[in-house]
Amino acid sequence: MPTPRRTLTTVAVAALLLPLSACGSGSDGGGSTDASGKVQGDITFQTWNLRANFKDYFEDLIAEFEKKYPGTDVKWVDQPAEGYADKISADAAGGTLPDVVNVSPDLVAPLARAGLALDLDRAAPQYAKEYLEGAWASHRIPGTDGTYAFPWYLNTGPLFYNKSLFEKAGLDPEKPPTTYDELFTQARRMAERTDGEVATLANVPTIEDFGRYGVPLMNDEGTAFAFDDAKGVQLLTEYKELYDAGALDAQALTATPESSGKKFLTGAVAMNPGSALDLANFRKQAPNLYENIGITDQITSTGHANMYVMGVMVNARSERKPAAVAFAHFVTDAAHQMSFARQVAVFPSTAGSLDDPYFTKEDGTDETRVRVAAARSLKTAVNYTPVLFSEQMKTALRNEVARALQGKESPEEALDNAVRACDRLLRQQG
């Protein structure tokens, strides 16, 4: 299941370099948006690395749908995590895209622009009110009108911290940082008092970190990036100071979520983002860490946590649009999202679902504490990563951040270069 931050499995989503601009404008889905009519016929449903762990769930769900709509037949195909974006790209270019496709917002963006993603605001507007506003908006594409996928499961997570490391550095283990100023101050103190042996953070700032810091990421039209403003430069300058002080791990420039997680497990870093799933891993692999684990909210200057969202897209050229829309909605309706969320540590995107006692009542366990806190934050969370921010753009930003941290460029020069590179890639997408 492709949720970020090691929640279930980690995947690097390749850029969708689709030469599909001639296929459609994205405004009419490359065909009729009429999804009315009888729900019948054969459709294909594609998921993203879910069969191994959830085979029974999806087989039961499909059987339930086919019983509800006699005359339908859903063929389920599951693709591996590796190469998923390339598979979608090839199917889109070859005209073999399935009727219903599991996507993330960055994957749906080029498909929408190519006219291959059905605009649900035109084809099925009656369903919008069933979902959290922020979740429904997550599959909108700047520069186009419409919503191009049903929101499915959401995820977010807290910051974990090692109380024993805080205590050894003379920091109050019951008062972790709650603002960026506190984070930067405590991180420098951690490095100073451990003679540089313990860093507080293990990752360089990503586009979502700039968003959480309150940096404007794009202009309102979605035609240019804007994260090189004064606030963006301020954040990168702070990270440069942390890096020089040993408060940002020395290997952060090449870190992956897995390597950062291992650093946290071994006590080399004091804080790391994660999810409720990590607690079981801590208990099994690092019992000493588990006994000293601290849990705190994401740090943000905006008051809104970051939301990771997965979606279910309908192929705009499906010959069975009524059945495809009906099934995509069936997969993502409140009842089925709640059922899925009870099997794995994800959260439903449907309105009102997060008020269920499962997400509001604590039972004294850390797992429940994380779940309740995450559910509360998701009600107002946003997906900071722009849907047009491709993997190539992420690489461009990361490379420039690395140059700034190494002192090869000033933070201002690095971000100006990153914005120019991302704007160039954005024009190529169009």
Side-chain angles (χ1 to χ4, degrees):
M1 179 178 298
T3 47
R5 298 289 191 184
R6 299 174 297 112
T7 49
L8 294 175
T9 187
T10 302
V11 295
V13 182
L16 281 174
L17 302 179
L18 295 175
L20 296 172
S21 58
C23 294
S25 66
S27 62
D28 64 358
S32 171
T33 59
D34 183 10
S36 62
K38 187 175 182 180
V39 176
Q40 62 182 0
D42 299 348
I43 59 172
T44 301
F45 170 47
Q46 178 172 290
T47 53
W48 186 352
N49 195 32
L50 294 174
R51 184 180 294 273
N53 294 320
F54 305 104
K55 181 175 180 288
D56 291 345
Y57 172 83
F58 284 102
E59 287 182 345
D60 289 346
L61 181 137
I62 288 169
E64 184 183 350
F65 177 81
E66 291 173 346
K67 181 179 180 180
K68 181 177 180 179
Y69 296 102
T72 59
D73 185 89
V74 179
K75 178 185 177 182
W76 175 32
V77 295
D78 186 65
Q79 300 295 344
E82 184 177 357
Y84 188 72
D86 292 333
K87 172 62 175 172
I88 290 180
S89 177
D91 285 344
T96 56
L97 199 66
D99 300 278
V100 181
V101 186
N102 179 189
V103 291
S104 55
D106 58 319
L107 293 185
V108 83
L111 298 173
R113 287 188 155 186
L116 295 175
L118 187 66
D119 178 3
L120 299 177
D121 286 338
R122 298 177 66 186
Q126 69 273 22
Y127 296 130
K129 63 182 180 297
E130 296 181 19
Y131 302 87
L132 293 171
E133 183 177 352
W136 185 261
S138 65
H139 291 92
R140 292 178 179 150
I141 316 301
T144 65
D145 296 324
T147 300
Y148 294 95
F150 285 98
W152 194 8
Y153 55 86
L154 311 176
N155 221 322
T156 190
L159 276 173
F160 292 115
Y161 66 99
N162 189 322
K163 289 184 176 181
S164 64
L165 293 180
F166 270 63
E167 193 168 13
K168 288 178 182 177
L171 299 170
D172 189 338
E174 302 306 323
K175 294 182 179 179
T178 58
T179 67
Y180 280 102
D181 285 344
E182 291 176 358
L183 172 65
F184 299 146
T185 298
Q186 292 189 27
R188 284 189 285 267
R189 189 171 301 170
M190 177 78 69
E192 291 169 2
R193 295 184 177 180
T194 62
D195 294 325
E197 291 185 5
V198 178
T200 297
L201 302 174
N203 296 286
V204 300
T206 63
I207 194 67
E208 70 189 51
D209 293 306
F210 283 93
R212 272 196 294 252
Y213 196 66
V215 179
L217 304 180
M218 295 192 79
N219 63 16
D220 293 339
E221 297 76 26
T223 57
F225 289 94
F227 53 82
D228 59 344
D229 80 335
K231 199 166 184 66
V233 173
Q234 181 184 46
L235 178 64
L236 187 51
T237 300
E238 292 281 4
Y239 266 83
K240 165 64 173 166
E241 294 178 1
L242 295 182
Y243 187 69
D244 290 344
L248 176 64
D249 186 68
Q251 296 177 328
L253 303 184
T254 57
T256 65
E258 292 88 354
S259 66
S260 299
K262 290 178 181 177
K263 291 268 186 178
F264 185 64
L265 281 176
T266 59
V269 296
M271 300 190 79
N272 204 52
S275 76
L277 288 176
D278 290 297
L279 291 169
N281 186 43
F282 298 156
R283 186 186 298 113
K284 180 179 179 180
Q285 296 191 29
N288 289 336
L289 170 64
Y290 183 76
E291 291 176 3
N292 290 284
I293 200 72
I295 304 170
T296 190
D297 292 337
Q298 291 181 24
I299 296 174
T300 169
S301 296
T302 65
H304 300 282
N306 186 57
M307 171 197 297
Y308 300 106
V309 57
M310 199 56 62
V312 178
M313 186 201 86
V314 174
N315 184 348
R317 298 184 180 181
S318 170
E319 297 181 357
R320 299 284 186 270
K321 283 193 185 72
V325 169
F327 184 72
H329 174 250
F330 191 78
V331 171
T332 63
D333 68 20
H336 293 105
Q337 288 212 46
M338 277 298 302
S339 176
F340 195 49
R342 287 179 179 275
Q343 294 197 27
V344 63
V346 294
F347 300 85
S349 62
T350 40
S353 295
L354 296 177
D355 293 323
D356 187 277
Y358 183 71
F359 298 111
T360 60
K361 302 294 185 182
E362 294 192 29
D363 60 8
T365 65
D366 286 335
E367 286 83 356
T368 302
R369 178 183 168 195
V370 171
R371 183 170 68 235
V372 170
R376 183 171 58 248
S377 71
L378 279 170
K379 290 183 178 182
T380 58
V382 297
N383 180 16
Y384 284 110
T385 303
V387 296
L388 299 177
F389 202 71
S390 69
E391 285 299 311
Q392 285 182 307
M393 295 174 189
K394 294 175 186 177
T395 299
L397 174 58
R398 187 179 185 90
N399 288 343
E400 291 298 333
V401 166
R403 292 181 67 83
L405 297 182
Q406 292 169 325
K408 296 178 179 178
E409 295 173 348
S410 70
E412 184 175 9
E413 289 172 333
L415 291 182
D416 283 345
N417 289 337
V419 164
R420 278 194 289 271
C422 292
D423 283 346
R424 184 172 59 252
L425 291 165
L426 185 65
R427 290 191 294 272
Q428 293 174 4
Q429 286 182 3

